[in-house]
């Protein structure tokens, strides 16, 4: 009993300390360094789905933190966030079991805090990260009057006190009263005006983006222009203006890009899919070097395609493919080395696959797995370190299931396209699209349920099917595929 009373008193003292301290924006960033280190998208390069989820959640978290620091703010709408947290402390016994084989775990929490300090503590605690370093931060003390009033506030007992005595926790009752599950109609009703305002503001830039994209594609005879990330319209226009300036300055070096797809991404080079990558942080000098090297890249690409054919022959005709949405953004050189290593292993093992016995099946290579698996879309996911004998038996055992999944995939893609067109037409949407991390099955389920609703809010809007509710800076509405 003495231990219980001591626990309650310690809790009260901690609350008094926290209530008498405030955190600046810089302090908050320093305090969240362990969190940023655990969830930063750059550490999820080989996991595109998890990277995209963390990117979106960080955008919404940063917006929440910015609003907290605005003078005169009253209250913020509860914000639900999901992060994939890396295993930064492998010896931590209290969280180790919850990590996946890939070394990260999914964490979801809802922010309802009203100040930076409690927000930082809430984030760290939700992700099972230490908060000890916060005590050493140089936080500002509030005026003596506020500090004294904090001591005179009613005691906030530890949760175990209410469990032990049977009394009701007033804070929990208040949270339950305020906690109303977000529904699609309520969220649209609350956010429609903001989205419309942002969309109207972005329209001139959207037209400018389309003009620049069309003119550059025509002048350079490009197959397409894409972006790896969901940058804003202004950011994309800026990148196209930079490319247009390079065209004016060095037109002779860009003749080699004819018929190709240009992708603005994090680094320059050629991707495993054969697209020309232009790093958004690189200067024109780096871009020029890439365009000058394109003939050599094309020669390497031919060797890569030949290597894929040789692997296919060794594996009974199964087709080696590269899926941008599911695999890391490998450069052409990285992918070639991966294929070459895998080919040498297969060649030395001399597996007895009957020629063309696996024609029609597909496989992708992965560098972060140790056991082969079959994706729901029908392709095999083969680790580069996979034992050839184990690979042989796995493919034999799953071949029929793989063919069935591939057939189902084709049917789903047709259904998905039809539902997108029907939904776009019914709600008079300007655009309906999904994030790469949303599967066809999820998109189909989402559209079917949308078509049962009456949603006048969506007329003329850009609707993105995602995993979260959010309004993007250019007015796009993002809703979770499994909305309520």
């Amino acid at each position: 009993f003495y231990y219980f009373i001591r626990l309650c008193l310690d809790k009260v003292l901690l609350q008094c300390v926290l209530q008498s301290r405030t955190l600046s924006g810089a302090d908050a960033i320093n305090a969240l360094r362990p969190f940023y280190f655990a969830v930063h998208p750059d550490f999820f390069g080989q996991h595109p789905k998890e990277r995209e989820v963390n990117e979106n959640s960080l955008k919404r978290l940063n917006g929440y933190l910015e609003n907290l620091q605005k003078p005169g703010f009253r209250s913020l709408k509860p914000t639900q966030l999901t992060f994939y947290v890396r295993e930064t402390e492998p010896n931590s016994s209290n969280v180790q079991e919850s990590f996946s084989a890939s070394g990260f775990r999914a964490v979801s929490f809802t922010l309802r805090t009203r100040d930076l300090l409690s927000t930082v503590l809430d984030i760290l605690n939700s992700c099972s990260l230490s908060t000890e370093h916060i005590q050493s931060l140089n936080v500002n003390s509030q005026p003596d009057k506020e500090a004294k009033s904090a001591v005179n506030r009613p005691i906030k007992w530890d949760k175990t006190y209410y469990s032990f005595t049977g009394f009701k926790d007033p804070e929990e009752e208040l949270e339950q009263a305020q906690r109303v599950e977000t529904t699609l109609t309520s969220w649209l009703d609350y956010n429609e005006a903001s989205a419309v305002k942002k969309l109207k503001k972005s329209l001139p830039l959207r037209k400018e983006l389309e003009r620049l994209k069309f003119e550059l594609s025509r002048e350079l005879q490009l197959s397409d222009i894409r972006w790896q990330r969901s940058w804003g319209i202004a950011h994309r226009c800026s990148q196209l203006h930079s490319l247009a300036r390079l065209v004016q300055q060095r037109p002779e070096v860009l003749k080699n890009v004819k018929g190709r797809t240009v992708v603005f991404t994090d680094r320059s080079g050629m991707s495993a899919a054969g697209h020309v990558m232009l790093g958004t942080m690189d200067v024109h000098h780096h871009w020029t070097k890439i365009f000058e090297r394109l003939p050599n890249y094309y020669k390497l690409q031919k060797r890569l395609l030949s290597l894929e054919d040789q692997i296919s022959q060794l594996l009974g005709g199964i087709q080696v493919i590269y899926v941008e949405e599911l695999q890391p953004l490998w450069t052409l050189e990285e992918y070639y080395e991966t294929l070459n290593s895998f080919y040498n292993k297969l060649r030395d093992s001399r597996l007895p696959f009957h020629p063309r016995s696996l024609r029609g099946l597909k496989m992708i290579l992965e560098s972060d797995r140790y056991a082969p698996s079959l994706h729901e879309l029908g392709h095999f996911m083969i680790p580069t370190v996979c034992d050839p004998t184990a690979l042989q038996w796995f493919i034999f055992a799953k071949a029929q299931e793989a063919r069935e999944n591939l057939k189902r995939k084709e049917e789903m893609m047709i259904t998905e396209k039809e539902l997108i067109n029907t939904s776009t037409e019914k709600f008079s949407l300007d655009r309906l699209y999904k994030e790469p991390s949303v599967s066809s099955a999820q998109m189909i389920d989402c559209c079917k349920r949308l078509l049962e609703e009456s949603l006048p809010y969506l007329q003329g809007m850009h609707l993105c099917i995602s995993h979260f509710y959010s309004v993007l800076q250019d007015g796009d509405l993002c809703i979770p595929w499994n909305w309520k």
Side-chain angles (χ1 to χ4, degrees), residues 243-291:
L243 180 57
R245 285 195 296 271
L246 182 59
V247 172
Q248 294 176 349
Q249 297 167 3
R250 299 291 304 276
E252 72 281 359
V253 301
L254 284 113
K255 61 183 180 181
N256 298 322
V257 79
K258 178 181 177 181
R260 294 284 168 167
T261 292
V262 169
V263 182
F264 290 96
T265 181
D266 294 329
R267 52 179 174 167
S268 298
M270 178 168 277
S271 73
H275 303 326
V276 179
M277 302 189 302
L278 299 181
T280 57
M281 300 300 292
D282 292 339
V283 295
H284 282 182
H285 171 72
H286 295 100
W287 288 5
T288 302
K289 290 292 184 183
I290 295 301
F291 289 122

Side-chain angles (χ1 to χ4, degrees), residues 5-17 156-159:
I5 295 298
R6 179 62 183 270
L7 180 65
C8 293
L9 290 175
D10 287 345
K11 182 73 174 181
V12 172
L13 290 174
L14 178 61
Q15 289 294 330
C16 290
V17 170
K156 189 175 181 180
W157 293 102
D158 188 91
K159 298 293 183 183

Side-chain angles (χ1 to χ4, degrees), residues 151-218:
V151 178
N152 294 329
R153 290 173 183 167
I155 292 177
K156 189 175 181 180
W157 293 102
D158 188 91
K159 298 293 183 183
T160 53
Y161 168 77
Y162 300 104
S163 301
F164 184 79
T165 61
F167 294 144
K168 293 183 178 181
D169 182 352
E171 184 183 53
E172 185 175 329
E173 285 188 319
L174 179 61
E175 285 186 1
Q176 289 177 351
Q178 294 176 339
R179 191 184 301 124
V180 179
E181 185 177 23
T182 301
T183 64
L184 178 60
T185 52
S186 65
W187 185 83
L188 288 174
D189 187 50
Y190 186 82
N191 291 278
E192 179 200 14
S194 171
V196 169
K197 182 178 179 181
K198 291 180 178 180
L199 180 61
K200 288 182 177 179
K201 185 178 179 181
S202 73
L203 289 179
L205 275 177
R206 289 181 186 271
K207 291 181 180 179
E208 174 71 0
L209 180 67
E210 289 301 314
R211 183 189 66 81
L212 287 168
K213 185 177 178 180
F214 174 78
E215 291 182 356
L216 281 171
S217 296
R218 182 185 59 183

Side-chain angles (χ1 to χ4, degrees), residues 8 53 79 81 122 131 148 168-169 204 209 222 236 240 254 271 304 310 373 380 405 411 471 482 484:
C8 293
V53 168
T79 301
L81 300 171
D122 203 6
T131 59
K148 290 178 181 179
K168 293 183 178 181
D169 182 352
L209 180 67
L222 299 176
R236 297 188 182 199
L240 291 185
L254 284 113
S271 73
L304 184 147
Q310 294 177 64
S373 62
F380 289 96
N405 287 1
E411 296 171 350
V471 178
N482 56 345
K484 305 297 182 187

Side-chain angles (χ1 to χ4, degrees), residues 226-340:
R226 302 180 190 171
W227 286 265
Q228 179 197 3
R229 298 192 189 181
S230 53
W231 283 298
I233 304 296
H235 196 170
R236 297 188 182 199
C237 284
S238 175
Q239 292 159 0
L240 291 185
H241 277 300
S242 293
L243 180 57
R245 285 195 296 271
L246 182 59
V247 172
Q248 294 176 349
Q249 297 167 3
R250 299 291 304 276
E252 72 281 359
V253 301
L254 284 113
K255 61 183 180 181
N256 298 322
V257 79
K258 178 181 177 181
R260 294 284 168 167
T261 292
V262 169
V263 182
F264 290 96
T265 181
D266 294 329
R267 52 179 174 167
S268 298
M270 178 168 277
S271 73
H275 303 326
V276 179
M277 302 189 302
L278 299 181
T280 57
M281 300 300 292
D282 292 339
V283 295
H284 282 182
H285 171 72
H286 295 100
W287 288 5
T288 302
K289 290 292 184 183
I290 295 301
F291 289 122
E292 291 174 343
R293 293 175 189 159
L294 285 181
N296 292 329
Y297 278 124
Y298 297 155
K299 292 178 183 178
L300 179 60
Q301 188 181 27
K302 289 182 179 180
R303 292 167 56 193
L304 184 147
L305 294 174
S306 175
L307 199 54
E308 287 182 337
D309 289 338
Q310 294 177 64
I311 293 174
S312 177
Q313 293 174 14
L314 292 175
L315 292 178
I318 190 171
Q319 182 185 2
V320 183
I321 61 174
Y322 177 81
V323 184
E324 293 178 272
E325 293 81 6
L326 299 176
Q327 293 180 265
L329 188 64
W330 276 331
T331 63
L332 196 67
E333 300 94 328
E334 292 169 343
Y335 191 46
Y336 180 85
E337 290 300 322
T338 300
L339 285 172
N340 192 47

